[in-house]
Amino acid sequence: SAASDVYKRQGALAPRGSADRSGIRGPGPATARRVLAPGLRGYAARMSTHEAGAGVEVRFRLRIGGAPWDAVAQVPRGPAPVSALLPGIGRLTDRVVARAREAVEASGRTVSCGPGCGACCRQPVPIAPSEAHRLVALIRSWPAPRRRAVEARFDAALTRLEAAGLLEPLRALADVEGVDARQSLGRAYFDLGIACPFLEDESCAIHADRPIACREYLVTSEAARCADPTPEPVSYTHLTLPTKRIV
């Protein structure tokens, strides 16, 4: 719903306003360290940066599942918003998820998620303001027919949420106290059956640009159980390095 609200308001995440104020001032290496290092604290045994063409190459040695992994990311040189780093963070997330999938399969289990299974795409998805603004830019880059189709789905979703009395509570989610209250709100959202505006034929139409939370969501229980997303019947895959803390 955050992305819906951002798109509707063309830059404001909530009534309080939340433009993409995540601009980083300083040289490229400082940008990389300031944004990436806090999220990787406790996992990065080594981090180095050097100039590479139009950007900065950042090298990490991460500990994932107890095993070392050398990673390389390209980040913009000089001042940049966090949204400009999202492609690299997304690729890092994909590698972490791939490691988790390997561990699952090594244990004899199977990850159920895949094309054609969009049950989880009817849940509220937590995203950072930088991700919301990047999605807005993505929509605006599309040809008019595709853009209008997605805009119509955003409008329909907002209309249904408002009619159900959930739009304002979702905008004020940060003020909701207690896990039970948040889960109740999330369940009420799911019960409406509102599909993500980017869901087409039960598959993600923006798979390469999907939010970090979507990338990290993996289950090993039967796919049909996700139609009733309570903690008991759904078995989630644990990620040793949740990269969403970076954004």
Side-chain angles (χ1 to χ4, degrees):
S1 73
S4 299
D5 217 14
V6 166
Y7 192 78
K8 189 72 172 180
R9 294 171 176 271
Q10 300 183 353
L13 183 64
R16 299 180 184 84
S18 179
D20 189 359
R21 303 191 183 109
S22 52
I24 304 299
R25 295 291 175 263
T31 296
R33 290 179 179 276
R34 181 174 171 184
V35 175
L36 298 177
L40 298 176
R41 186 173 295 120
Y43 299 93
R46 177 177 55 116
M47 175 180 289
S48 64
T49 61
H50 71 270
E51 307 296 324
V56 177
E57 185 178 83
V58 185
R59 294 181 177 272
F60 309 92
R61 170 160 287 180
L62 304 177
R63 293 185 299 273
I64 302 177
W69 172 45
D70 289 326
V72 179
Q74 293 285 339
V75 299
R77 184 197 303 273
V82 173
S83 57
L85 304 179
L86 288 177
I89 296 173
R91 290 191 292 273
L92 172 62
T93 304
D94 291 343
R95 291 294 299 272
V96 172
V97 170
R99 285 291 182 92
R101 186 183 290 268
E102 291 171 2
V104 166
E105 293 174 349
S107 69
R109 296 174 295 158
T110 303
V111 173
S112 306
C113 307
C117 179
C120 65
C121 301
R122 291 169 174 80
Q123 301 181 44
V125 177
I127 62 176
S130 56
E131 293 181 287
H133 286 277
R134 185 172 177 81
L135 290 176
V136 170
L138 177 66
I139 295 171
R140 290 174 176 166
S141 72
W142 289 345
R146 186 184 185 193
R147 185 177 66 249
R148 285 195 293 266
V150 172
E151 287 173 347
R153 292 199 286 268
F154 271 106
D155 285 338
L158 288 169
T159 298
R160 290 195 60 194
L161 287 170
E162 188 170 20
L166 292 179
L167 188 56
E168 290 306 319
L170 285 169
R171 285 174 174 164
L173 183 60
D175 299 327
V176 176
E177 297 182 0
V179 174
D180 290 343
R182 287 172 177 255
Q183 288 182 343
S184 177
L185 187 58
R187 181 61 197 232
Y189 181 106
F190 185 85
D191 287 343
L192 291 177
I194 300 175
C196 171
F198 298 115
L199 188 67
E200 298 177 356
D201 297 325
E202 293 301 305
S203 294
C204 181
I206 58 164
H207 194 263
D209 299 288
R210 67 198 187 281
I212 301 299
C214 298
R215 296 171 188 267
E216 293 185 339
Y217 191 89
L218 292 176
V219 303
T220 56
S221 49
E222 296 178 7
R225 293 188 182 182
C226 292
D228 184 24
T230 58
E232 292 75 22
V234 178
S235 298
Y236 302 96
T237 300
H238 173 68
L239 299 181
T240 56
L241 172 56
T243 56
K244 59 178 171 283
R245 70 179 60 192
I246 298 174
V247 296

